[in-house]
Amino acid sequence: MLKPTSEEIVQRDTIFSRVIEAIRTEVTIKLPPFDSVTSQSSDSALLSTVNEPNPFCGFVGDFAYQFEGEEDLLHLFIVRKDGKEISVEDAQRVVAFALPNVPSAFFFVKPGVFSQHFYIGHDFLLEYCVS
């Protein structure tokens, strides 16, 4: 069970505002460039990505979540901050935190071992998350 701190909630709300603004203004959300200086050789590429500061990445509990734009889809991936395996169920709890007003049925899930990937259409996100 996730127990987000007030700081994690504020961070989530800030990131969400950035995501919505990017979608509304048709700006593609890109991952930060890979920085070999800050990356540790044992990091996975996705773990390295969330360890590099960027405006579309957040943290809750033991997890990191990262948004990325893909044409008309929004990609959200979740990893553990320690790089260990993550279950789909744990990742679904992070998705429910990151996008609390979006019905889970609207997500396409691409399961993995060390990362979990969720996709949702921009139009659904705007419809269910913006008042």
Side-chain angles (χ1 to χ4, degrees):
M1 175 173 228
L2 288 179
K3 294 183 181 180
T5 65
S6 58
E7 292 85 7
E8 290 169 337
I9 292 168
V10 168
Q11 179 186 54
R12 175 208 53 202
D13 294 346
T14 301
I15 293 166
F16 178 72
S17 294
R18 290 178 187 144
V19 167
I20 293 302
E21 182 62 22
I23 292 170
R24 284 186 172 151
T25 59
E26 298 182 8
V27 172
T28 302
I29 299 170
K30 297 187 184 247
L31 296 177
F34 178 74
D35 184 350
S36 61
V37 174
T38 61
S39 176
Q40 299 175 11
S41 60
S42 62
D43 283 352
S44 72
L46 296 179
L47 189 57
S48 292
T49 298
V50 300
N51 285 328
E52 297 174 18
N54 75 82
F56 299 102
C57 179
F59 302 92
V60 60
D62 295 330
F63 307 98
Y65 56 96
Q66 172 74 54
F67 290 97
E68 174 188 21
E70 296 186 1
E71 296 179 19
D72 62 345
L73 292 176
L74 185 68
H75 173 207
L76 172 61
F77 70 81
I78 292 99
V79 295
R80 289 182 52 92
K81 292 191 283 189
D82 61 10
K84 294 182 180 177
E85 292 183 13
I86 179 173
S87 69
V88 173
E89 294 79 17
D90 281 342
Q92 286 171 324
R93 285 188 272 281
V94 176
V95 172
F97 166 75
L99 297 171
N101 297 324
V102 180
S104 61
F106 287 166
F107 288 98
F108 168 77
V109 181
K110 184 177 178 189
V113 175
F114 296 99
S115 61
Q116 303 297 337
H117 302 262
F118 298 82
Y119 300 85
I120 186 169
H122 292 165
D123 52 345
F124 288 121
L125 186 65
L126 291 175
E127 180 179 347
Y128 282 89
C129 291
V130 180
S131 47

